[in-house]
Amino acid sequence: MANAYFQFKQFSIFQDRCAMKVGTDGVLLGAWTPVDGAQTILDVGSGTGLLALMLAQRAPEALITGVELDSDACLQSRENISTLTLARSAGNGGERFQAVFSAVPSTL
């Protein structure tokens, strides 16, 4: 059985209520996604919030919005993000994004 959390150097990601657990692909995407100079970033299918948190560390000036359809994953993402001082709330739904990324599996 997988751990209920995944420990990074600066934060933990709890994942017990999410279908998609932390894995190598997500960690690499968070490390390699180009976000230099981005002020607004959209995370589509944010799951545990892992990628949003990783990008918040790499682009601390950016406003990051996560979108998640699964209610349990959405709540878990909010909890993971709220435990860090990186968390800020903003946005009214009319934002334009300079960077958009997703780790959602696709069959395209």
Side-chain angles (χ1 to χ4, degrees):
M1 183 171 127
N3 286 337
Y5 67 93
F6 191 94
Q7 183 67 48
F8 288 87
K9 283 185 178 182
Q10 296 182 357
F11 60 88
S12 297
I13 293 290
F14 288 86
Q15 57 186 1
D16 55 301
R17 295 190 314 260
C18 294
M20 299 298 291
K21 309 298 184 200
V22 173
T24 304
D25 54 343
V27 174
L28 290 175
L29 182 61
W32 292 344
T33 298
V35 292
D36 293 342
Q39 295 177 354
T40 54
I41 300 171
L42 176 62
D43 176 7
V44 178
S46 58
T48 62
L50 168 67
L51 298 176
L53 289 169
M54 291 182 72
L55 296 184
Q57 288 183 312
R58 295 184 43 225
E61 70 288 348
L63 176 64
I64 301 171
T65 301
V67 176
E68 176 56 57
L69 294 177
D70 180 76
S71 58
D72 286 336
C74 183
L75 291 172
Q76 187 130 63
S77 178
R78 285 182 179 194
E79 290 169 4
N80 284 331
I81 291 168
S82 70
T83 63
L84 300 176
T85 58
L86 299 169
R88 302 183 295 274
S89 63
N92 60 11
E95 296 89 352
R96 290 181 176 247
F97 298 95
Q98 296 172 319
V100 177
F101 69 97
S102 175
V104 177
S106 174
T107 57
L108 297 177

